[in-house]
Amino acid sequence: MSMDKPYPKLVMRKESLADLPAFSCPAGYTIRSFQPGDESRWESIIRQSFEREIAFGHKIGDLPYFQPERVLFICSGDIPAATATAWETELSGERCGYLHMVGALPDHSGRGLGYAASLAALHRMRAEGQTQAFLETDDFRLPAIKIYLRLGFTPVYLHELHRPRWERVLRLVRPAD
């Protein structure tokens, strides 16, 4: 994880992958891993989710630890509608799971696809022997942060700017009753 940027990403941790809920695909959808030719479909989901261009090769496909089975898609028919990647990172010299590039097409929002894709990626990490997972996110990705909290991720404070930012985000995603 990179902390070199002037405004560091928010970081979250799931301490244990042992307690994952069972995976089930939302009704009407199927799950599959990356297949040759999916690059443009992944880029479309990510472009619409992050509102910027991100090249599959640069972010995932051209990296030495890319494995097709780590890039998961929740599909409507044959068309990918959401994605999440079961990546890995190193923290304090230890290899850890890393939930990476989670996104869903806006036409499919509110159907549990982000949750399902994220949970499937966590199951993949556990199958690969990971015992914990991290992720990086942005303050404005409130729907995603709600999913991560529901999956058992908690904020991590690695930078002096993290605490006030997390306080604000948590107020927004967990409003007072």
Side-chain angles (χ1 to χ4, degrees), residues 145-170:
I145 291 169
K146 285 181 183 181
I147 290 169
Y148 305 146
L149 290 167
R150 201 168 130 215
L151 286 166
F153 280 88
T154 57
V156 176
Y157 305 96
L158 297 176
H159 188 278
E160 64 186 11
L161 293 176
H162 280 160
R163 186 164 305 281
R165 290 169 58 206
W166 270 120
E167 288 172 358
R168 180 187 164 278
V169 165
L170 292 173

Side-chain angles (χ1 to χ4, degrees), residues 125-156:
M125 288 176 217
R126 185 173 70 186
E128 291 183 7
Q130 302 298 340
T131 59
Q132 64 179 323
F134 287 85
L135 64 82
E136 292 175 298
T137 191
D138 296 298
D139 306 57
F140 64 88
R141 298 205 65 210
L142 299 178
I145 291 169
K146 285 181 183 181
I147 290 169
Y148 305 146
L149 290 167
R150 201 168 130 215
L151 286 166
F153 280 88
T154 57
V156 176

